[in-house]
């Protein structure tokens, strides 16, 4: 029993019940001694106290003992409350872990409808579980990083798996847009080597954290970053391949932070920055090889590039 109480005390940050009671009793005795001395001084240090004085001293002693007993009862009640709260917190974490495991199992299911359900369950869990939100985000991003080639039987190369992936990117975008009920700003989104044929990142804000599209492939379809506002953090397109389709940054604003295209290739499709505003920060394409810049992005006309926009060969 003692060891069990000790373990409970460790998990709740409390002393053992024995230490608590001993401490309270010693404090009570100390208060009693001080009160007795002060009373004695107030009575003029009588050498032979009368019956009334003795009676008063006994009353004070009994009052102190009753007070100590009351404090002990309060300590016991306080400990019960703290232990109950700790047990409730452990149970809550247990439920969250079970939900996490269930969502992971759904995401790995062979049926796309079940995978979709698991994806939404994981996103909901991320909203509720702030302490492990990054882990939930990592699971969603890891799914997108699984190697995948879209079907080739339609202009959009759309299939069931594409729908699952589009839904994941939409959920991420919804949590990065202004007014999101729960914001995921400041976290890392590791989309290294993803294949994006259809994704809607329009109007997202990046105020911190990192959004990583390094080595991503854009083979066709349409991926929209229209209205994107980067005011902090980092967005990486290092080594990304813009091979076909359309990738648009139209009306985006870059006011702070860094957007890097180191080693990216622009060899097909259309990448546009029409109406984009470069008001601060850095958008760096200077390390793109001219050999990989055969289909350069489309910008608004200018005499000289705006500050913060670094182009190949500059």
């Amino acid at each position: 029993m003692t060891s069990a109480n000790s373990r409970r005390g460790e998990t709740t940050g409390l002393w053992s019940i024995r230490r608590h009671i001993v401490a309270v009793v010693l404090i009570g005795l100390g208060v009693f001694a001080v009160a007795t001395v002060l009373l004695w001084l107030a009575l003029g240090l009588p050498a032979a106290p009368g019956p009334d004085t003795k009676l008063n001293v006994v009353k004070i002693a009994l009052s102190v003992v009753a007070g100590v007993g009351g404090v002990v009862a309060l300590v016991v009640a306080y400990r019960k409350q703290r232990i109950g709260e700790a047990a409730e917190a452990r149970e809550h974490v247990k439920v969250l872990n079970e939900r996490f495991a269930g969502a992971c199992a759904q995401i790995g299911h062979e049926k796309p409808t079940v995978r979709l359900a698991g994806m939404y369950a994981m996103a909901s869990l991320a909203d509720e579980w702030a302490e492990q939100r990054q882990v939930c985000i990592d699971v969603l991003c890891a799914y997108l990083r699984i190697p995948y080639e879209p079907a080739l039987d339609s202009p959009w190369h759309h299939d069931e798996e594409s729908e699952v992936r589009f839904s994941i990117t939409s959920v991420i975008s919804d949590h990065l847009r202004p007014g999101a009920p729960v914001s995921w700003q400041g976290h890392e989104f590791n989309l290294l080597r993803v294949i994006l044929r259809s994704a809607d990142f329009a109007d997202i804000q990046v105020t911190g954290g990192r959004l990583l599209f390094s080595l991503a492939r854009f083979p066709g379809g349409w991926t929209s970053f229209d209205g994107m506002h980067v005011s902090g953090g980092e967005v990486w397109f290092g080594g990304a391949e813009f091979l076909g389709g359309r990738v648009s940054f139209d009306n985006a604003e870059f006011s702070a932070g860094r957007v890097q295209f180191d080693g990216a290739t622009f060899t097909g499709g259309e990448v546009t920055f029409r109406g984009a505003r470069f008001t601060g920060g850095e958008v760096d394409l200077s390390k793109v090889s001219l050999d990989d810049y055969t289909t350069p992005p489309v910008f608004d006309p200018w005499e000289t590039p705006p500050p913060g926009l670094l182009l190949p060969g500059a």
Side-chain angles (χ1 to χ4, degrees), residues 45-261:
L45 301 174
D52 292 340
T53 302
K54 292 180 179 179
L55 180 61
N56 288 331
V57 171
V58 170
K59 289 181 178 178
I60 292 173
L62 291 175
S63 297
V64 171
V65 171
V68 170
V71 173
V72 169
L74 288 175
V75 169
V76 172
Y78 171 72
R79 285 179 55 83
K80 286 182 178 179
Q81 179 181 351
R82 287 291 302 274
I83 291 173
E85 290 173 351
E88 183 179 350
R90 288 195 300 272
E91 184 63 27
H92 182 60
V93 171
K94 179 181 177 182
V95 171
L96 292 175
N97 278 309
E98 290 173 351
R99 288 175 57 188
F100 179 82
C104 287
Q106 287 182 302
I107 290 174
H109 200 274
E110 62 181 9
K111 294 184 178 180
T113 53
V114 178
R115 295 200 296 274
L116 276 171
M119 178 273 295
Y120 285 114
M122 186 64 71
S124 176
L125 185 59
D127 289 345
E128 297 180 37
W129 202 2
E131 296 82 4
Q132 297 297 329
R133 181 170 296 154
Q134 182 63 61
V135 175
C136 298
I137 292 172
D138 289 343
V139 172
L140 295 176
C141 292
Y143 185 92
L144 293 175
R145 295 198 304 270
I146 296 174
Y148 161 70
E149 290 294 339
L152 303 178
D153 56 357
S154 73
W156 287 90
H157 297 187
H158 188 74
D159 55 20
E160 293 175 337
E161 178 61 17
S162 296
E163 181 61 33
V164 175
R165 291 168 180 259
F166 180 81
S167 297
I168 293 176
T169 57
S170 295
V171 164
I172 292 174
S173 300
D174 289 342
H175 285 84
L176 293 178
R177 292 189 176 110
V182 178
S183 175
W184 291 358
Q185 293 289 345
H187 289 279
E188 179 170 296
F189 300 86
N190 184 356
L191 301 175
L192 180 73
R193 295 190 178 89
V194 298
I195 299 174
L196 293 176
R197 183 170 294 276
S198 177
D200 181 11
F201 294 100
D203 299 319
I204 67 170
Q205 290 188 342
V206 181
T207 62
R210 297 199 301 172
L211 189 56
L212 307 178
F213 291 96
S214 299
L215 303 177
R217 290 175 57 206
F218 300 88
W222 182 19
T223 299
S224 172
F225 294 92
D226 294 346
M228 175 185 190
H229 185 190
V230 180
S231 59
E234 298 178 336
V235 183
W236 289 87
F237 289 93
E241 299 179 9
F242 299 91
L243 307 172
R246 181 183 178 192
V247 180
S248 59
F249 295 85
D250 295 349
N251 300 309
E253 181 175 359
F254 306 95
S255 60
R258 301 174 64 199
V259 182
Q260 297 286 332
F261 289 86

